[in-house]
Amino acid sequence: MTDKKIQSVDQATLEMIEKSHQDGCSTVFDRAENMKPCPIGAEGSCCKNCAMGPCRVPINKSKEETPEDHNKRKGVCGATAETISARNFARMVAAGTAAHGDHGRRVTELFMAVAEGKAPGYSIKDEQKLLQLALELGVKVGDRPNNEIAKDIAEILQKDFSRQEGELNFIKRAPLKRQAVWRQNGVTPRGIDREVVETMHHTHMGVDQDYQNLIKQATRTALADGWGGSMIGTELQDVMFGTPSPVLSQINLGVLKEEDVNIIIHGHEPALAEILAVVSQDPVMIEYAKSKGAKGINLVGMCCTANEILMRHGIPIGGNFLQQELAIVTGAVEAMIVDVQCIMQGLTDVAQCYHTKIITTDERAHITGSTFIHFDELNAIEISKEILKMAIDNFPNRHKNVRIPQVKTDMIAGFSHETITYLLGGLFRASYRPLNDNIINGRIRGVAGVVGCNNPRVTHDDVHVTLVKELIKNDVLVLQTGCSAMATAKAGLMLPEASKFAGEGLASVCETVGIPPVLHLGACVDNCRILTAATAMVKEGGLGDDISDLPVAGCAPEWMSEKAVAIGHYFVASGVYTIFGVTWPTVGSKELTDYLFKGLEQSLGGKWDFEIDPYKMAQKMIAHIDLKRKALGIDKSRERVLYDMAMRRDLEK
Amino acid sequence: MNEILKMKAPNRPEVEVLGPTYEEGTPQGETTGKWSNKLSSRAEILKYLQTGQRYFFSPTNEGFGSEKRKKPA
Ligand code: SF4
């Protein structure tokens, strides 16, 4: 038992793991102990793309591989370790892109319904973002009503899903040089669906058997995520629900309230959560909750849906990915309402130990043992009330074993690209200039995007928190999304007071602007906000012509999902050095791994890397940032001196 | 609370600067942080977009910063 890994650095998580054992209930932490990862699958050396296999071609790690050994590592069809590994990698990118693309499609459909006045409960909340998109997409504004403008925008963006030729609309948002790089490399995405379908075809048995060409198609597909599906989802959500602006809230399981009906909304698409946020405040519903013996209704978010409603409504977050079952273990959750992505099937088993109802709401994601209530966005209010009522009715069924860990932390979220621009200059001088200037003068060394999931194969939250602390200590401003953002928020890094953990230069800038050194930019789909911010940095000037010139780096330290691979690959394809932790899915092929870690940089300007240790991760990211600073000629810090008249006269002499 | 602080400045003797002018406490209320509410009309929003987001929406279409160049990149 002595070498047993610490399961989490989060006190609330450890407390609830212990309670789950007392209650005789097993969670992801126990399942991960009992189910070790398959070593052949983990390195990408297993192919099951036809019935002559599955074929396993693992690398021999005990000795250096000879060309003869390598030649023997082939599937029945002759597929090499390179082909097999590249196909597996490309399929991960396709699955991730499909998930974000389908999210974007649903949002576009709802947006069209709102524009046509067919979705009561939703409206166009953010005229500024609507007009912004109209200008970007060439939609006439004039005196036209918002819904007419919205309809035109929906029609234009809908075509991005099914387009067969040409380019996605948001490709034009990227720096000019980046667009040229994509065109030269033949990786500019056409339609989101087309790229996903083509990747599935490339990777079918007996089709594409050149690992570089497979990665080329994976690149095109990943770009259809970052500059396509994800960006469409994020932008249209902003128009309907509001562009995030700074909001104070709280995070961790301690936000659950013993006397209230606790309802957790978990998943990714914010359409249902937005309505629940409103309906849960309805005095009639609150009275109904009181009639069942509760004091009120407490709506709490989990995973990326949590990020969405936190940023726009200040709804508190219960926890990140690995805490979803533990929220139920508190015994205080009446209902967990889920839609799509990152929802563990283990939830229904855990729920059986308590009284919690698992309510699935999306036709695409049923779970055996859950209660399904189809969420129809055109009848959103009525269905939300029905779901809420079901949760309230469950309050009297609570068992005696209720224990809510008294652990919660304040946090500030809501730093969209638009808000960052405003915060840096106000309404009259909104600009990225102060950021670029402070990077040039060295107060800020660079910018890092730290994103992604949790993974029980490493100590929960530890890699996120250690890495981010190390980065800010070295004057690197950190932008975060997803479960990674939640990990550092729980550690108190998303408050202005956290500048005490930052290096002197970064702290001085954060204190002047009044922002934390770690900025919350939203859910995983909002990683595209980081692309927009990076583009604005390039366009502002002084830091090169392209995203690949910027002193920036990306990281997903505790990744687990296929979406993370798609996100990582669109960052690489956009020119960013991107490092993953936990495990690397192509180690079965040295040639392919070398290509991803070194070769891609020559054509795309970005590259992958892999490291488990958070300190080494930080060192690698900082080394890359320093390399970019050197290339820009800003490697020596220069203080700006304000010259008064006497100093000027001295100069003139 | 217009406190005057003495601070070190590069290449200069100690200088006096105005200390923090914010009010103590935690901001409250629905509209806290909602800066875009300050733009009340469509004309104001469009004007802001053309200046605040000028890299993307400047009506002059001449490019800014790194992209303000004679020859395309
Ligand atoms: S496609 Fe080739 S490598 Fe894959 S399972 Fe079939 S025979 Fe094996």
Side-chain angles (χ1 to χ4, degrees), chain A residues 144 146 422 538-540, chain B residues 38 42 53 55 66-67:
Chain A
R144 299 173 76 204
N146 282 346
Y422 165 77
V538 171
K539 287 176 181 272
E540 175 61 55
Chain B
K38 293 176 187 169
R42 182 175 281 189
Q53 300 283 338
Y55 327 112
S66 68
E67 291 177 350

Side-chain angles (χ1 to χ4, degrees), chain A residues 127-128 131-132 142 144 146 175-176 245-246 248 417-419 421-422 427 430-432 538-541 544-545 641-642 644, chain B residues 10-12 26-27 32-36 38-39 42 45-46 48-49 51-57 64-67 69 73:
Chain A
E127 189 182 12
Q128 181 179 323
L131 300 182
Q132 200 169 312
R144 299 173 76 204
N146 282 346
L176 297 175
S245 45
L248 178 69
H417 150 71
E418 289 79 359
T419 288
T421 319
Y422 165 77
L427 276 187
S431 162
Y432 268 57
V538 171
K539 287 176 181 272
E540 175 61 55
D545 292 345
V641 180
L642 285 177
D644 60 18
Chain B
N11 304 337
R12 323 246 342 230
T26 308
T32 303
K34 301 226 179 298
W35 58 272
S36 58
K38 293 176 187 169
L39 302 164
R42 182 175 281 189
I45 294 172
L46 287 171
Y48 173 75
L49 288 175
T51 53
Q53 300 283 338
R54 60 193 165 281
Y55 327 112
F56 298 107
F57 307 122
F64 278 84
S66 68
E67 291 177 350
R69 59 180 71 226

